[in-house]
């Protein structure tokens, strides 16, 4: 599924000539795409439980799916600058509901939110609550090219 998401994101970027962001959790890389081609590659840090799909608030996992930047925050983030993504989306809500119904997660669990691409990265380890962290300089660079609505595939 992940490869299909990436292929769709790259194809959409190529067709529109626009920007997109792809996060490869396994490689700890964030790729800035423009017009279907990789423009920049950044090392990134993820949630402290990065090897898993996000299931609920507080699990330390970085979500996997197709998202969009939903808020552009040049100031005011706990972690330097930030780009919020629209987690949870409809797919995340359905997975969460299904997992609750199957007893995979507690009935008291909450789905969570406030997943960002943010600064204060460069620590050399996965440490966030589920966000994607870049160095502050890399955030400055990334924020020059992306805006609200930019596709983000994780």
């Amino acid at each position: 599924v992940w490869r299909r998401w990436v292929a769709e994101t790259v194809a959409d970027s190529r067709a529109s000539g626009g920007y997109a962001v792809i996060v490869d959790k396994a490689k700890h890389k964030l790729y800035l795409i423009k017009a279907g081609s990789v423009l920049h590659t950044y090392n990134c840090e993820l949630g402290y439980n990065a090897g898993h799909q996000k299931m609920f608030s507080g699990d330390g996992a970085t979500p996997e799916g197709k998202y969009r930047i939903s808020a552009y925050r040049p100031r005011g983030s706990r972690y330097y600058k930030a780009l919020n993504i629209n987690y949870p989306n409809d797919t995340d809500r359905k997975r969460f509901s299904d997992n609750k119904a199957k007893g995979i997660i507690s009935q008291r669990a909450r789905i969570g939110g406030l997943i960002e691409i943010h600064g204060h990265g460069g620590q050399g380890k996965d440490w966030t609550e589920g966000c994607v962290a870049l160095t502050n300089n890399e955030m400055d660079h990334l924020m020059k090219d992306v805006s609200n609505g930019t596709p983000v595939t994780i």
Side-chain angles (χ1 to χ4, degrees), residues 51-114:
H52 295 89
Q53 167 63 286
K54 185 151 204 67
M55 299 199 39
F56 56 89
S57 177
D59 66 3
T62 300
E64 299 168 8
K66 291 177 72 173
Y67 302 97
R68 293 204 172 268
I69 293 174
S70 59
Y72 184 88
R73 299 175 57 204
R75 61 186 73 76
S77 171
R78 260 175 78 185
Y79 303 107
Y80 189 59
K81 297 178 180 181
L83 299 163
N84 292 32
I85 66 167
N86 66 324
Y87 172 89
N89 62 23
D90 291 343
T91 303
D92 298 313
R93 283 188 203 67
K94 179 168 179 5
R95 181 185 320 106
F96 180 75
S97 177
D98 290 349
N99 285 340
K100 267 190 166 181
K102 294 174 187 172
I104 294 171
I105 57 177
S106 166
Q107 291 299 315
R108 292 186 303 243
R110 295 177 343 220
I111 194 167
L114 194 59

Coordinates of all heavy atoms in Angstrom, one line a residue, residues 51-114:
G51 N 8.3 2.4 14.4 CA 8.1 1.2 13.6 C 6.7 0.7 13.4 O 6.4 -0.2 12.7
H52 N 5.8 1.4 14.1 CA 4.4 1.0 14.1 C 3.5 2.1 13.5 O 3.8 3.2 13.4 CB 3.9 0.7 15.5 CG 4.6 -0.4 16.1 ND1 5.8 -0.3 16.8 CD2 4.3 -1.8 16.1 CE1 6.2 -1.5 17.2 NE2 5.4 -2.4 16.8
Q53 N 2.3 1.6 13.0 CA 1.3 2.6 12.6 C 0.6 3.2 13.8 O 0.4 2.5 14.8 CB 0.2 1.8 11.7 CG -1.1 2.5 11.4 CD -1.0 3.8 10.6 OE1 -0.5 4.8 11.1 NE2 -1.3 3.7 9.3
K54 N 0.3 4.5 13.7 CA -0.3 5.2 14.9 C -1.7 4.6 15.1 O -2.5 4.4 14.1 CB -0.4 6.7 14.6 CG -1.0 7.4 15.8 CD -0.5 8.8 15.8 CE -0.6 9.4 17.2 NZ 0.3 8.8 18.1
M55 N -2.0 4.2 16.3 CA -3.3 3.6 16.6 C -4.1 4.4 17.6 O -5.3 4.4 17.5 CB -3.1 2.2 17.2 CG -2.4 1.3 16.2 SD -2.5 -0.5 16.4 CE -4.1 -0.9 16.9
F56 N -3.5 5.2 18.5 CA -4.2 6.0 19.4 C -3.3 7.0 20.0 O -2.0 6.9 19.9 CB -4.8 5.2 20.5 CG -3.9 4.3 21.3 CD1 -3.2 4.8 22.4 CD2 -3.6 3.0 20.9 CE1 -2.3 4.0 23.1 CE2 -2.7 2.2 21.5 CZ -2.0 2.7 22.7
S57 N -3.8 8.0 20.6 CA -3.1 9.1 21.3 C -2.1 8.5 22.3 O -2.6 7.7 23.2 CB -4.0 10.1 21.9 OG -3.3 11.1 22.6
G58 N -0.9 8.9 22.3 CA 0.1 8.5 23.3 C 0.8 7.2 23.0 O 1.7 6.8 23.8
D59 N 0.6 6.7 21.8 CA 1.3 5.4 21.5 C 2.8 5.7 20.9 O 3.5 4.7 20.7 CB 0.5 4.5 20.5 CG 0.3 5.1 19.2 OD1 0.8 6.2 18.9 OD2 -0.4 4.5 18.4
G60 N 3.1 6.9 20.7 CA 4.5 7.2 20.2 C 4.8 6.8 18.8 O 5.9 6.9 18.3
A61 N 3.7 6.5 18.0 CA 3.9 6.0 16.6 C 3.6 7.2 15.7 O 2.8 8.1 16.0 CB 3.0 4.9 16.3
T62 N 4.3 7.3 14.6 CA 4.1 8.3 13.5 C 3.1 7.7 12.6 O 3.2 6.5 12.1 CB 5.4 8.6 12.8 OG1 6.3 9.2 13.8 CG2 5.2 9.6 11.7
P63 N 2.0 8.4 12.3 CA 1.0 7.8 11.4 C 1.5 7.6 10.0 O 2.4 8.2 9.5 CB -0.1 8.9 11.4 CG 0.5 10.2 11.8 CD 1.7 9.8 12.7
E64 N 0.8 6.7 9.3 CA 1.1 6.3 7.9 C -0.1 6.5 7.1 O -1.2 6.1 7.5 CB 1.5 4.8 7.9 CG 2.8 4.6 8.7 CD 3.1 3.1 8.8 OE1 2.4 2.2 8.2 OE2 4.0 2.8 9.6
G65 N 0.0 7.3 6.0 CA -1.1 7.5 5.1 C -0.9 8.7 4.3 O 0.3 9.2 4.2
K66 N -1.9 9.1 3.6 CA -1.9 10.3 2.7 C -2.6 11.5 3.4 O -3.8 11.3 3.8 CB -2.5 10.0 1.4 CG -1.7 9.0 0.6 CD -2.4 8.6 -0.7 CE -2.3 9.7 -1.7 NZ -2.8 9.4 -3.1
Y67 N -1.9 12.5 3.6 CA -2.3 13.7 4.3 C -2.1 15.0 3.5 O -1.6 14.9 2.4 CB -1.6 13.8 5.7 CG -1.8 12.6 6.5 CD1 -0.8 11.6 6.5 CD2 -2.9 12.3 7.2 CE1 -0.9 10.4 7.3 CE2 -3.1 11.2 8.0 CZ -2.1 10.2 8.0 OH -2.3 9.1 8.7
R68 N -2.4 16.1 4.1 CA -2.2 17.4 3.6 C -1.7 18.3 4.7 O -2.1 18.1 5.8 CB -3.4 18.0 2.9 CG -3.8 17.3 1.7 CD -4.6 18.1 0.7 NE -4.8 17.4 -0.5 CZ -4.0 17.5 -1.6 NH1 -3.0 18.3 -1.6 NH2 -4.3 16.8 -2.7
I69 N -0.9 19.3 4.4 CA -0.6 20.3 5.4 C -1.8 21.1 5.7 O -2.5 21.6 4.7 CB 0.6 21.2 4.9 CG1 1.9 20.4 4.8 CG2 0.8 22.4 5.8 CD1 3.1 21.1 4.2
S70 N -2.2 21.2 6.9 CA -3.4 21.8 7.3 C -3.2 23.1 8.1 O -4.2 23.9 8.2 CB -4.3 20.9 8.2 OG -3.5 20.5 9.4
A71 N -2.0 23.4 8.5 CA -1.7 24.7 9.2 C -0.2 24.9 9.0 O 0.6 24.1 9.2 CB -2.0 24.6 10.6
Y72 N 0.1 26.2 8.6 CA 1.5 26.6 8.4 C 1.8 27.5 9.6 O 1.2 28.6 9.7 CB 1.5 27.4 7.1 CG 2.8 27.9 6.6 CD1 3.6 27.1 5.8 CD2 3.2 29.2 6.9 CE1 4.8 27.6 5.4 CE2 4.5 29.7 6.5 CZ 5.3 28.9 5.7 OH 6.5 29.3 5.3
R73 N 2.7 27.1 10.4 CA 3.0 27.8 11.7 C 4.5 28.2 11.7 O 5.3 27.6 12.3 CB 2.7 26.8 12.8 CG 1.2 26.5 12.8 CD 0.8 25.5 13.8 NE 1.1 26.0 15.1 CZ 1.3 25.2 16.2 NH1 1.2 23.9 16.1 NH2 1.6 25.7 17.3
P74 N 4.7 29.4 11.2 CA 6.1 30.0 11.2 C 6.6 30.4 12.6 O 7.8 30.6 12.8 CB 6.1 31.1 10.2 CG 4.6 31.6 10.2 CD 3.8 30.3 10.4
R75 N 5.7 30.5 13.5 CA 6.0 30.7 14.9 C 4.9 30.2 15.8 O 3.8 29.9 15.3 CB 6.2 32.2 15.2 CG 5.0 33.1 14.9 CD 5.2 34.6 15.0 NE 6.0 35.2 14.0 CZ 5.5 35.4 12.8 NH1 4.3 35.1 12.5 NH2 6.2 36.0 11.9
G76 N 5.3 29.9 17.0 CA 4.2 29.5 17.9 C 4.2 28.0 18.2 O 3.4 27.6 19.0
S77 N 5.0 27.2 17.6 CA 5.1 25.8 17.9 C 6.0 25.6 19.1 O 6.9 26.3 19.3 CB 5.6 25.0 16.7 OG 5.9 23.7 17.0
R78 N 5.8 24.5 19.8 CA 6.7 24.1 20.9 C 8.1 23.8 20.3 O 9.1 23.9 21.1 CB 6.2 22.8 21.6 CG 5.4 23.0 22.8 CD 4.9 21.7 23.3 NE 5.9 20.8 23.9 CZ 5.6 19.6 24.3 NH1 4.4 19.1 24.2 NH2 6.6 18.9 24.9
Y79 N 8.1 23.4 19.1 CA 9.3 22.9 18.5 C 9.8 23.8 17.3 O 9.7 23.3 16.2 CB 9.2 21.4 18.0 CG 8.8 20.5 19.2 CD1 7.5 20.0 19.3 CD2 9.7 20.2 20.2 CE1 7.1 19.2 20.3 CE2 9.3 19.4 21.2 CZ 8.0 18.9 21.3 OH 7.7 18.1 22.3
Y80 N 10.1 25.0 17.6 CA 10.5 26.0 16.6 C 9.4 26.3 15.6 O 8.4 26.8 16.1 CB 11.8 25.4 15.9 CG 12.4 26.4 15.0 CD1 12.9 27.6 15.4 CD2 12.6 26.1 13.6 CE1 13.5 28.5 14.6 CE2 13.2 27.0 12.8 CZ 13.7 28.2 13.2 OH 14.3 29.1 12.4
K81 N 9.5 25.9 14.4 CA 8.4 26.1 13.4 C 7.7 24.8 13.1 O 8.3 23.8 13.4 CB 9.0 26.7 12.1 CG 9.6 28.1 12.3 CD 10.3 28.6 11.0 CE 10.9 29.9 11.3 NZ 11.5 30.5 10.0
A82 N 6.5 24.9 12.6 CA 5.8 23.6 12.4 C 4.8 23.7 11.2 O 4.3 24.8 10.8 CB 5.0 23.2 13.6
L83 N 4.6 22.5 10.6 CA 3.6 22.3 9.6 C 2.7 21.2 10.1 O 3.1 20.1 10.3 CB 4.2 21.9 8.3 CG 5.2 22.8 7.6 CD1 6.1 22.1 6.6 CD2 4.5 24.0 7.0
N84 N 1.4 21.6 10.4 CA 0.5 20.6 10.9 C 0.0 19.8 9.7 O -0.1 20.3 8.6 CB -0.7 21.2 11.6 CG -0.4 21.9 12.9 OD1 0.7 22.4 13.0 ND2 -1.3 21.9 13.8
I85 N -0.3 18.5 9.9 CA -0.9 17.7 8.9 C -2.3 17.3 9.4 O -2.6 17.3 10.6 CB -0.1 16.4 8.5 CG1 0.0 15.4 9.7 CG2 1.3 16.8 8.0 CD1 0.5 14.1 9.2
N86 N -3.2 16.9 8.5 CA -4.6 16.7 8.8 C -4.8 15.3 9.3 O -5.7 14.6 8.9 CB -5.5 17.0 7.6 CG -5.2 16.0 6.4 OD1 -4.1 15.6 6.2 ND2 -6.3 15.7 5.7
Y87 N -4.0 14.9 10.3 CA -4.2 13.6 11.1 C -5.1 14.0 12.2 O -4.9 15.0 12.9 CB -2.9 13.0 11.6 CG -3.2 11.9 12.5 CD1 -3.4 10.6 12.0 CD2 -3.4 12.0 13.9 CE1 -3.7 9.5 12.8 CE2 -3.7 11.0 14.7 CZ -3.8 9.7 14.2 OH -4.2 8.7 15.0
P88 N -6.2 13.2 12.5 CA -6.6 12.1 11.8 C -7.5 12.4 10.6 O -8.4 13.3 10.7 CB -7.5 11.3 12.9 CG -8.0 12.4 13.7 CD -7.0 13.5 13.7
N89 N -7.3 11.7 9.5 CA -8.2 11.8 8.4 C -9.3 10.7 8.4 O -9.4 10.0 9.4 CB -7.4 11.8 7.1 CG -6.7 10.5 6.8 OD1 -7.0 9.4 7.4 ND2 -5.6 10.5 6.0
D90 N -10.1 10.6 7.4 CA -11.2 9.6 7.4 C -10.7 8.2 7.5 O -11.3 7.4 8.2 CB -12.1 9.8 6.2 CG -12.9 11.1 6.2 OD1 -13.0 11.7 7.3 OD2 -13.4 11.5 5.1
T91 N -9.6 7.9 6.9 CA -9.0 6.6 6.9 C -8.6 6.2 8.3 O -8.8 5.1 8.8 CB -7.9 6.4 5.9 OG1 -8.3 6.7 4.6 CG2 -7.3 5.0 5.9
D92 N -7.9 7.2 9.0 CA -7.4 7.0 10.4 C -8.6 6.8 11.3 O -8.6 5.9 12.2 CB -6.6 8.2 10.8 CG -5.4 8.4 10.0 OD1 -4.6 7.5 9.8 OD2 -5.1 9.6 9.6
R93 N -9.7 7.6 11.1 CA -10.8 7.4 12.0 C -11.5 6.1 11.9 O -11.9 5.5 12.8 CB -11.9 8.5 11.7 CG -11.5 9.9 12.2 CD -12.7 10.9 12.1 NE -12.3 12.3 12.0 CZ -11.6 12.9 11.1 NH1 -11.1 12.3 10.1 NH2 -11.4 14.2 11.2
K94 N -11.6 5.6 10.6 CA -12.2 4.3 10.4 C -11.3 3.2 11.0 O -11.8 2.3 11.7 CB -12.3 4.0 8.9 CG -12.9 2.6 8.6 CD -13.4 2.4 7.2 CE -13.9 1.1 6.9 NZ -14.1 0.1 7.9
R95 N -10.0 3.2 10.8 CA -9.1 2.2 11.4 C -9.2 2.3 12.9 O -9.3 1.2 13.6 CB -7.6 2.5 11.0 CG -6.6 1.5 11.6 CD -5.2 1.8 11.3 NE -4.9 2.3 10.0 CZ -4.6 3.6 9.7 NH1 -4.6 4.5 10.7 NH2 -4.4 4.0 8.5
F96 N -9.3 3.5 13.5 CA -9.4 3.6 15.0 C -10.7 3.0 15.5 O -10.7 2.2 16.4 CB -9.4 5.1 15.3 CG -9.5 5.4 16.8 CD1 -8.4 5.2 17.6 CD2 -10.6 5.9 17.3 CE1 -8.5 5.4 19.0 CE2 -10.8 6.2 18.7 CZ -9.7 6.0 19.5
S97 N -11.8 3.3 14.8 CA -13.1 2.7 15.2 C -13.1 1.2 15.0 O -13.6 0.5 15.9 CB -14.2 3.4 14.3 OG -15.4 2.8 14.5
D98 N -12.6 0.7 13.9 CA -12.5 -0.7 13.7 C -11.7 -1.4 14.8 O -12.1 -2.5 15.3 CB -12.0 -1.1 12.3 CG -12.9 -0.7 11.2 OD1 -14.1 -0.4 11.4 OD2 -12.4 -0.7 10.0
N99 N -10.6 -0.8 15.1 CA -9.7 -1.4 16.2 C -10.4 -1.4 17.5 O -10.2 -2.4 18.3 CB -8.3 -0.7 16.2 CG -7.5 -1.1 15.1 OD1 -7.6 -2.1 14.4 ND2 -6.5 -0.2 14.7
K100 N -11.1 -0.4 17.8 CA -11.9 -0.4 19.1 C -12.9 -1.5 19.1 O -13.1 -2.2 20.1 CB -12.6 1.0 19.3 CG -11.8 2.0 20.1 CD -12.7 3.2 20.4 CE -12.0 4.0 21.5 NZ -12.8 5.2 21.9
A101 N -13.7 -1.6 18.0 CA -14.7 -2.6 17.9 C -14.2 -4.0 18.0 O -14.8 -4.9 18.6 CB -15.5 -2.4 16.5
K102 N -13.0 -4.2 17.5 CA -12.3 -5.6 17.6 C -11.6 -5.8 18.9 O -11.1 -6.9 19.1 CB -11.3 -5.7 16.4 CG -11.9 -5.7 15.0 CD -10.8 -5.7 14.0 CE -11.4 -5.6 12.6 NZ -10.3 -5.4 11.6
G103 N -11.6 -4.8 19.8 CA -10.9 -5.0 21.0 C -9.4 -4.9 21.0 O -8.7 -5.2 21.9
I104 N -8.9 -4.4 19.8 CA -7.4 -4.3 19.7 C -6.9 -3.1 20.5 O -5.8 -3.2 21.0 CB -7.1 -4.0 18.2 CG1 -7.5 -5.3 17.4 CG2 -5.6 -3.7 18.0 CD1 -7.4 -5.2 15.9
I105 N -7.7 -2.1 20.7 CA -7.3 -1.0 21.6 C -8.5 -0.7 22.5 O -9.6 -1.1 22.3 CB -7.0 0.3 20.8 CG1 -8.2 0.8 19.9 CG2 -5.7 0.2 20.0 CD1 -7.9 2.1 19.2
S106 N -8.2 -0.1 23.6 CA -9.1 0.2 24.7 C -10.3 1.0 24.3 O -10.1 1.9 23.5 CB -8.4 0.8 25.9 OG -9.3 1.4 26.8
Q107 N -11.4 0.8 24.8 CA -12.6 1.7 24.6 C -12.4 3.1 25.1 O -13.0 4.0 24.6 CB -13.8 1.1 25.2 CG -14.3 -0.2 24.6 CD -14.7 0.0 23.1 OE1 -15.4 0.9 22.8 NE2 -14.2 -0.9 22.3
R108 N -11.4 3.2 26.0 CA -11.1 4.6 26.6 C -10.1 5.3 25.7 O -9.9 6.5 26.0 CB -10.7 4.5 28.0 CG -11.8 4.0 29.0 CD -11.3 4.1 30.4 NE -10.1 3.2 30.5 CZ -10.0 2.2 31.3 NH1 -11.1 1.8 32.0 NH2 -8.9 1.5 31.4
A109 N -9.5 4.7 24.8 CA -8.4 5.3 24.0 C -9.0 6.5 23.2 O -10.2 6.4 22.8 CB -7.8 4.3 23.0
R110 N -8.2 7.5 23.0 CA -8.5 8.6 22.1 C -7.7 8.5 20.8 O -6.5 8.0 20.9 CB -8.3 9.9 22.8 CG -9.2 10.1 24.0 CD -8.8 11.4 24.7 NE -7.5 11.7 24.2 CZ -6.5 12.3 24.9 NH1 -6.5 12.6 26.0 NH2 -5.3 12.5 24.4
I111 N -8.2 9.0 19.7 CA -7.4 8.9 18.5 C -6.2 9.9 18.4 O -5.2 9.6 17.8 CB -8.4 9.2 17.3 CG1 -7.7 8.7 16.0 CG2 -8.9 10.6 17.2 CD1 -8.6 8.6 14.8
G112 N -6.3 11.0 19.1 CA -5.2 12.0 19.1 C -5.3 12.9 17.9 O -6.3 12.9 17.2
G113 N -4.3 13.7 17.8 CA -4.2 14.7 16.8 C -2.9 15.5 16.9 O -2.0 15.1 17.6
L114 N -2.8 16.7 16.3 CA -1.7 17.6 16.4 C -0.4 16.8 16.0 O 0.6 16.8 16.7 CB -1.5 18.2 17.8 CG -0.5 19.4 17.8 CD1 -0.9 20.5 16.8 CD2 -0.4 19.9 19.2

